[in-house]
Amino acid sequence: MKKSQLQGELWGQSPNGWAEVQEGLHKPLWEAMLHETKVGVNTIFLDVGCGSGGSSILAKERGADVHGIDVAEGLLSFAIERVPEGVFQVADIENLPYEDNKFDVIFAANSLQYSEDRIAALHELKRVCKPNGQIIAGLFGLPEKVDYRVVFKAVRDTMPEPPKGGGPFELSMEDKLESLFVEAGLENIQSGEVNCPFEYKDFETFWFGNVSAGPFQGMLKIVSETELKSAVREAVDEFCLDDGRILIPQNIFKYVVGNIQ
């Protein structure tokens, strides 16, 4: 099965938790990326891996002409409802259904890392970006700057054998994402960081939001929900407040932007 098809199935398995709880916690990242690319009135904007439409809402509020793709039809249904003026469709980042030179800004928050071939994906983004347009991608920063890493460790430790691939911080390492932009032929490459605190009213809300994510859904094919939930509960115990809320205060995300010449 193609990786994009698998990701579509996993992220579409239980989309409500992501749409209603977890996705919105990335708002500081979206705002920083939109500010960096100066998205505004009449910007022709492509939200790659738009999920349930949180970042598309912000782009629309700035006056952009919003288009979005995602591999998960279940998530995309939220985006269509939330941004009725937008144009959304199910599509793969490595095979975009657009003509050449269409978009002013291509925005990929928490999506490029899920592509099968990152350079092929960036070349495809370049193809549909206008000359002098911008491509921007965002994801987790260095693991030591991400408190949420304890959750990743708890999930990994429940697995019967080590997971394949580079893990959730593969593209977070120093200059890794920047080097991919260089290899893809992008220019004037800049990067920045922003903090996204994750706060939940209680553990059940935390679990509802997080278990909906594709990696968690993939884990549930290997281990029981009871086992996984117990491991994660123990991992986030240090972030539980006296009133029952969970506050994971530091989650530094990085973003990298480059120009098309």
Side-chain angles (χ1 to χ4, degrees), residues 11-221:
W11 284 92
Q13 191 74 33
S14 180
N16 292 64
W18 186 262
E20 296 168 16
V21 176
Q22 192 66 18
E23 187 179 274
L25 299 176
H26 298 87
K27 186 176 180 180
L29 172 64
W30 303 334
E31 290 178 331
M33 292 170 66
L34 291 167
H35 177 76
E36 180 68 31
T37 51
K38 298 179 173 60
V39 171
V41 176
N42 297 325
T43 300
I44 305 176
F45 175 87
L46 177 61
D47 196 347
V48 177
C50 63
S52 65
S55 47
S56 291
I57 291 170
L58 298 183
K60 188 63 185 176
E61 288 174 348
R62 287 169 169 255
D65 175 10
V66 173
H67 301 251
I69 65 151
D70 203 281
V71 293
E73 190 171 356
L75 283 174
L76 206 60
S77 64
F78 286 92
I80 292 168
E81 181 178 348
R82 291 170 171 175
V83 191
E85 308 93 338
V87 180
F88 298 95
Q89 54 189 307
V90 175
D92 180 357
I93 188 173
E94 294 177 43
N95 186 24
L96 297 173
Y98 306 110
E99 67 269 22
D100 296 354
N101 307 324
K102 179 176 177 64
F103 299 101
D104 299 305
V105 172
I106 297 181
F107 180 102
N110 297 309
S111 58
L112 182 63
Q113 65 267 41
Y114 292 105
S115 59
E116 194 155 8
D117 183 332
R118 281 75 178 262
I119 293 299
L122 284 169
H123 278 299
E124 184 68 348
L125 299 186
K126 280 182 62 181
R127 180 186 67 78
V128 302
C129 192
K130 292 180 180 180
N132 300 314
Q134 295 175 288
I135 295 173
I136 189 165
L139 39 67
F140 275 118
L142 292 169
E144 58 266 29
K145 296 182 178 181
V146 178
D147 291 339
Y148 188 85
R149 68 184 183 276
V150 301
V151 176
F152 290 132
K153 183 179 186 303
V155 170
R156 184 182 68 244
D157 288 349
T158 63
M159 296 185 70
E161 58 184 50
K164 298 178 181 178
F169 296 108
E170 180 186 1
L171 299 187
S172 306
M173 296 299 103
E174 200 73 42
D175 295 326
K176 178 67 173 179
L177 185 55
E178 291 88 342
S179 68
L180 290 178
F181 272 50
V182 170
E183 187 176 347
L186 293 166
E187 300 186 7
N188 302 320
I189 296 165
Q190 304 291 327
S191 60
E193 293 184 338
V194 62
N195 187 33
C196 294
F198 290 174
E199 183 175 355
Y200 312 85
K201 69 177 183 179
D202 51 34
F203 179 77
E204 289 305 319
T205 303
F206 168 90
W207 182 250
F208 178 59
N210 283 271
V211 76
S212 64
F216 273 80
Q217 290 296 311
M219 279 294 301
L220 292 179
K221 297 180 181 298

